[in-house]
Amino acid sequence: MAEITYLEAIREALFEEMERDANVFCLGEDIAAYGGAFKVTEGLSKRFGEQRVIDTPISEVGIVGAAAGAAHMGMRPVVEMQFIDFVANAYDMLTNYVATARYRADLPCPMVVRGPSGGYVRGGPFHSQNPEAGFIHTPGLKVAYPATAEDAKGLLKSAIRDDDCVLFFEHKYLYRRIKGTMPAGDHVVPLGKARVAREGRDLSIITYAATLWKALEAADELERADGLSAEVVDLRTLSPLDDDAIQATTKKTNRVLIVHEDTRTGGIAGEITARINETCFAWLDAPVLRVTAHDVPLPYAPQLEDFVLPQTNDIVTAARVLAAY
Amino acid sequence: MAEITYLEAIREALFEEMERDANVFCLGEDIAAYGGAFKVTEGLSKRFGEQRVIDTPISEVGIVGAAAGAAHMGMRPVVEMQFIDFVANAYDMLTNYVATARYRADLPCPMVVRGPSGGYVRGGPFHSQNPEAGFIHTPGLKVAYPATAEDAKGLLKSAIRDDDCVLFFEHKYLYRRIKGTMPAGDHVVPLGKARVAREGRDLSIITYAATLWKALEAADELERADGLSAEVVDLRTLSPLDDDAIQATTKKTNRVLIVHEDTRTGGIAGEITARINETCFAWLDAPVLRVTAHDVPLPYAPQLEDFVLPQTNDIVTAARVLAAY
Amino acid sequence: MPTRVAASGKREKGTGKQRAEASPAGLTRAQLLELYYWMRLTRTLEERLVALYRQTKVIGGLFRSLGQEADAVGSAFALRPEDVLSPLIRNLGSMLVKGATPVEILRQYMAKGDSPTRGRELNIHFGDTARGFIGQISPLGDMVPVMAGVTLSFKMRNERRVGLVYVGDGATSTGAFHEGINFAAVERCPLVIVVENNGYAYSTPTRSQTLAKQFVDKAIGYGIPGEQADGNDVIATYEVTKRAVDRARSGEGVSLVELITYRRKGHAEHDNQSYVPVGEIDRWARENDPIDRYVARLRTELGFADDDLRVIDDRVRREIDEATEVAERSAAPEPLDALLGVYASPPAQQPLWFRSGQRAAVDASERAEGWGSYSATNGAASDARLAREND
Amino acid sequence: MPTRVAASGKREKGTGKQRAEASPAGLTRAQLLELYYWMRLTRTLEERLVALYRQTKVIGGLFRSLGQEADAVGSAFALRPEDVLSPLIRNLGSMLVKGATPVEILRQYMAKGDSPTRGRELNIHFGDTARGFIGQISPLGDMVPVMAGVTLSFKMRNERRVGLVYVGDGATSTGAFHEGINFAAVERCPLVIVVENNGYAYSTPTRSQTLAKQFVDKAIGYGIPGEQADGNDVIATYEVTKRAVDRARSGEGVSLVELITYRRKGHAEHDNQSYVPVGEIDRWARENDPIDRYVARLRTELGFADDDLRVIDDRVRREIDEATEVAERSAAPEPLDALLGVYASPPAQQPLWFRSGQRAAVDASERAEGWGSYSATNGAASDARLAREND
Ligand SMILES: Cc1ncc(C[n+]2csc(CCOP(=O)(O)OP(=O)(O)O)c2C)c(N)n1
Ligand SMILES: Cc1ncc(C[n+]2csc(CCOP(=O)(O)OP(=O)(O)O)c2C)c(N)n1
Ligand SMILES: [Mg+2]
Ligand SMILES: [Mg+2]
């Protein structure tokens, strides 16, 4: 099996799911003829026609709402946000309409909202966001954010088959930088299950998406320079959180560092810290620590962006403090 | 000095600030002739004219964006959301435009977005929300959520005078149920400062808005039935958080219970727990615990709403567990 | 102010100087009576709700469509059973036409456990895709994109079904309305958008909502046909909507229909309408009540007997009495039901530890036994257990 | 395809068979040359940016307005210094007219520390209220409500100032556009809304964006005047905008102006325009380049000499050479600058503990000395200290 990129893995998932189920269709801005701003949907309209790969007007509320309506009727729409930053425009539609549909009106809403997310790409404040916090807070939505090519494919396939609405964040820094070999056959990764990306004994680093790779780098450095054995857990799904995996690693190493690219205040690390407190307090030999972005809009200049976002070194620094506590 | 309600206190603040500063003006749906859905702005248009108390079309994006534009030019707009639930429609405008204006473009954005928030009123899923989590997560926005009539007035006056955008959540359950005596003169309560609402020794309850009153009730019950002395801290401002006050009470009682009406996952309790972990871990004699709403859209029937939202009894139960830990 | 309706040749078609026996708009005599039945049912049911509201049996606000019954009933009557409609708070009539029952409405308003939303949502915020109406949410305008999607699915599947979505004059100002209508237009969805211009959005008169001379003018900016009709004339309403429905069904895409009517009650029962010019409400009540107008027409021009109508009035009263009795007997929802069905999977949330009667999961940092045992699949038993534990 | 512009008497006013000396649109001869200067400056500056982009000195994407210079320059030229304009990515020309300088643009694109946004924002996303232009954000349509508010403030203060906001054909589909234009119309704000119809939104042609025959039709739905002009005719653009600006200034409220032009380059430099029909771009370049057209007119009908233009070309080249040299010398921003100015108060965020060189605040759960010592007020000194600590 040849290696394919994270981006190609997503495309493969779309192809396979559209092939498998005639109810799956894609809609978004510039996704048909052009193949999307990042070419994720390239070739889809040629294969499946412009009826199932729909170029829409610039209307995030319209697109997400339309996806919900089609989903009620048994379709399985996959919405592309050209950049995930623009999902903010559909915040009402997603949190008020879509998230509550089943609960308040018994309306099924099987749909996926996917899009290029995250920074480290000099995209500036409106092409680099990590909007997960605003959505994990909303009962009724699920959130996935893969870090590997294998998970990108397997989770997207699960998301499309899921009977609930899944926000599927794709890290654009990983699109063409990360490769993986897809398992043969129908490769599906279940939602809600974290993955131990690296086994370790001395401390746990819980993370997801682009910072997984920085955490793994940091773990190597800690091993090499300090003889510290760090376990790295890739959450993969942010809603629902895999409490079992979080508790297991906490109880194993007794020291937890949470790393995310999102800004600090109100980021998901807080939620995880609270859960660890509630269920594993007696196992903690040190406070749960966080390495996150600074609480500022993400600036564009490389010098500024690099300063604001978490880097491998920051993880190493924090892990040393944690280990020495 | 006569007692006035929480709602009247807000109205007083609006009157006084519009009187004091000709740049202050109000805009929103049905706020002029009708005086707003809850009559908060009643009398304002008569006193200040329809030029300064503007009835707008039903356009949350339009209103918030217009407020931002006017604020850039030196005005101090106060926007009313008819129900705070509809602030979701302006999520992009607030988080992408308003929050970043100063940082990215040196554009001042002194404005207030205020509105009736919260549950316990049989309002159902779209007239009961507590949207703070989606905004404390956004650098550039400030968030206040008063629990007392005095704070409602004093914080709103601060919010209007503040040079940043302040989201000002008013708890509609408290509007006419809570009264207070306003201090004489220019009564201003600074943003960013919590208040110890009740001194205590054995454990701390950190909360805000409507659940402050439930926490105080619970504290009385704990005193009476268990001889436990609970300290109750009213955060008042949620962004920026008063770290000093949080640390002080934690270090004093060594046991912290955070109570909020918002849903559990991704609510502000997680952030507070993380901060306490980071700065006060050695002082903790027990895990930080949370009493919150269940993770479901807020249902309308009294039996359901009461089950989903935190009640005084829940606080008592959790506090006992915490004290006995 | 019936003069607000610009006379248009098209709109008047089927009314006027016809012989009594000729059925207007191709409606059978049974259908003509049916229109009366739905309007009367709507009004009487709302009157019953007012009575229950005064007895504090209604939880939350009460929204009236007094004086707008023709607009709701006539437009919905243009749909087939397989078509799908998205109502607003003042479309009780449309929902009844589409198959919602009085007992459902009454249970909803009283927040009963066996109401269509099991006590989760207010008033007439409920739906049933089988009967063809979709549960609305409060944020205005949102149903327009949703119905764009519903009808997009009809188009994609080559089903000859049509969708209809209502928006108030006020809701036309929302971004969701704009994005939805434009999206549906471009995708040529089989959708009819009915703007119910009742003169007010809460307290805001139409002139403060838009500078457009009429809402039908908005159709031009979306490149779609627009038609206007007298919303208090049930047959005109039916006809204009039917034309739009027919266009949609034959693949001609989206139409905008403006129905001109008047909101005679306040936004909700608590609203005293102090902002309404003196005499305006009375004038509409006196001169332009849709039921009075239709009754007059049925009696004179269409040649129905007083008895034909009395039979219907009696039937309506009986149905509503029965429905009220049934609805009042319904029980309140079970608290634990609040935790079911946020997701398809998992089908239930767990009760929080301080509610489940068990000790905290955090107690001695040990994961308590029984945590996570509440699930929809072992529903009843676990419900009962937890309910006991909660006592 | 210049034929896409429907000829209209109004629009043609001031062009045509006039004598060379007569100034079209009441512009002085100096102003006529100025229009040429701004268009030439725009084009040459963008060409320089392309060169820098190829040298990888530009950080991020590069957006061109090739072929749209007339629309940007002509419309902005209708404003007074005290008026305020909100540009889009293809309104480099408008910003230059409003006083933005080439060195600012170059520094922005190269993410320099002394660029107008100090490296925080991309390309021409910057503003200056003193000169009268507002920094845009990426989410399309958002600037329409913002400019409604800017101009609302003019009205409230009885200032005779006017605002102008651009939206692309694509951005007209956004809810923000709709809510903003409707709000501004109802409040009678002194605002001009210019729809730049350049045929595409990224890869999406106008026919997939709206079914409206022309964007100017949207004015009707908002009850405001709408006019259309040939956006590649700088004088027509000026005139139509000037009329709208005059209306706004004299209290007549909002106008919508549609300028028809064509986007000859891709959405950004990386876009290969494979979706464009063969020959379309060439045809526009050959037959309808706004600078070529204006030069021809200046030379023939308006009687300018070749030298008049050559002087300007030379000046433009010189200015851009100088600006490039200056901009290239500028330093990159200081990392710690990223923490300043999120709020007016506090004026700085603190560097996170793992960055500040100090031990964790959590270390032994003791609040470390120095935590919180970074502040904008003791800026320089603390910057230096922290920078050292970061090494
Ligand atoms: C987005 C949004 N903003 C505000 C409200 C509050 N609100 C509820 S109904 C209403 C007025 C609606 O007027 P209209 O659309 O004309 O409908 P009508 O009540 O006249 O039938 C308002 C402002 C809302 N529900 N949604
Ligand atoms: C709300 C929103 N959705 C999507 C985008 C992504 N996007 C950036 S530019 C663009 C096309 C804009 O087209 P148009 O408005 O016609 O302007 P033009 O580029 O042609 O000048 C798109 C879709 C965005 N910036 N904002
Ligand atoms: Mg109305
Ligand atoms: Mg365009």
Side-chain angles (χ1 to χ4, degrees), chain D residues 82-361:
Chain D
E82 67 268 27
D83 296 338
V84 174
L85 162 161
S86 162
L88 293 175
I89 38 171
R90 283 180 233 295
N91 294 115
L92 173 56
S94 325
M95 288 171 71
L96 294 170
V97 169
K98 257 311 206 171
T101 63
V103 73
E104 287 178 314
I105 311 287
L106 289 159
R107 282 178 177 148
Q108 272 292 119
Y109 262 111
M110 293 191 277
K112 298 294 193 178
D114 55 2
S115 74
T117 66
R118 293 143 76 189
R120 292 163 179 206
E121 250 282 32
L122 299 93
N123 54 60
I124 63 172
H125 285 201
F126 71 95
D128 178 4
T129 43
R131 283 174 283 178
F133 55 102
I134 301 263
Q136 66 186 290
I137 61 169
S138 298
L140 294 165
D142 283 11
M143 300 311 295
V144 183
V146 171
M147 287 302 294
V150 165
T151 51
L152 179 69
S153 79
F154 297 161
K155 193 187 125 202
M156 292 178 80
R157 290 174 159 170
N158 288 314
E159 298 173 340
R160 286 175 51 81
R161 298 163 75 185
V162 167
L164 187 157
V165 60
Y166 296 97
V167 275
D169 43 283
T172 62
S173 299
T174 62
F177 163 78
H178 175 72
E179 295 200 6
I181 190 170
N182 184 59
F183 178 96
V186 168
E187 303 301 338
R188 292 182 169 74
C189 298
L191 179 62
V192 178
I193 295 169
V194 174
V195 178
E196 291 180 294
N197 179 359
N198 63 2
Y200 290 90
Y202 213 136
S203 75
T204 305
T206 302
R207 68 172 178 285
S208 305
Q209 199 66 242
T210 179
L211 290 191
K213 273 155 223 71
Q214 37 184 10
F215 288 96
V216 72
D217 286 350
K218 292 187 181 282
I220 306 164
Y222 301 107
I224 56 172
E227 290 193 72
Q228 198 182 54
D230 178 350
N232 284 14
D233 175 343
V234 69
I235 291 180
T237 290
Y238 166 76
E239 282 191 286
V240 73
T241 312
K242 184 68 166 49
R243 279 196 297 276
V245 166
D246 289 347
R247 278 195 296 274
R249 204 179 311 278
S250 63
E252 292 173 54
V254 178
S255 299
L256 187 151
V257 171
E258 177 179 7
L259 298 178
I260 294 176
T261 180
Y262 186 80
R263 197 196 72 200
R264 272 161 48 199
K265 297 303 256 178
H267 176 63
E269 275 298 291
H270 68 268
D271 167 4
N272 68 6
Q273 294 175 282
S274 54
Y275 48 83
V276 176
V278 178
E280 189 179 273
I281 297 168
D282 284 350
R283 204 163 53 246
W284 277 85
R286 218 172 35 242
E287 298 171 11
N288 206 348
D289 180 81
I291 299 188
D292 290 352
R293 277 178 66 186
Y294 191 50
V295 166
R297 191 159 166 204
L298 286 172
R299 283 214 183 103
T300 56
E301 181 195 325
L302 297 170
F304 285 93
D306 282 4
D307 256 8
D308 295 334
L309 307 186
R310 195 167 319 115
V311 168
I312 292 175
D313 293 348
D314 290 347
R315 176 181 155 203
V316 162
R317 226 180 339 265
R318 202 174 51 246
E319 287 176 354
I320 288 177
D321 283 346
E322 281 168 18
T324 310
E325 217 174 289
V326 173
E328 292 217 51
R329 275 201 307 269
S330 291
E334 281 300 319
L336 272 167
D337 189 67
L339 303 185
L340 297 178
V342 177
Y343 296 96
S345 132
Q349 304 294 302
Q350 303 307 317
L352 290 169
W353 64 268
F354 47 79
R355 277 299 173 76
S356 60
Q358 67 213 358
R359 301 291 293 166

Side-chain angles (χ1 to χ4, degrees), chain A residues 109-238:
Chain A
C109 228
M111 57 185 272
V112 175
V113 178
R114 46 162 292 274
S117 316
Y120 301 106
V121 296
R122 292 49 177 121
F126 309 110
H127 291 80
S128 308
Q129 293 176 10
N130 290 290
E132 57 267 28
F135 297 104
I136 61 151
H137 173 252
T138 307
L141 300 177
K142 293 176 176 172
V143 177
Y145 204 163
T148 68
E150 293 85 344
D151 288 346
K153 179 172 179 184
L155 283 170
L156 181 52
K157 287 171 70 103
S158 287
I160 292 172
R161 297 179 194 185
D162 200 89
D163 285 334
D164 296 311
C165 173
V166 181
L167 303 187
F168 188 83
F169 300 139
E170 303 166 1
H171 205 293
K172 68 176 87 68
Y173 179 85
L174 306 180
Y175 266 160
R176 296 171 203 278
R177 284 184 181 83
I178 296 295
K179 291 187 165 192
T181 307
M182 297 304 116
D186 188 28
H187 169 54
V188 171
V189 174
L191 293 170
K193 295 270 168 259
R195 181 179 74 94
V196 177
R198 183 191 206 273
E199 299 266 357
R201 292 173 318 272
D202 299 327
L203 63 108
S204 301
I205 306 178
I206 300 179
T207 188
Y208 56 96
T211 45
L212 169 73
W213 301 99
K214 298 197 186 293
L216 289 171
E217 249 177 56
D220 285 347
E221 170 69 8
L222 290 164
E223 182 101 59
R224 199 191 52 69
D226 307 60
L228 282 171
S229 160
E231 177 147 305
V232 178
V233 176
D234 177 4
L235 289 171
R236 309 200 289 190
T237 301
L238 305 183

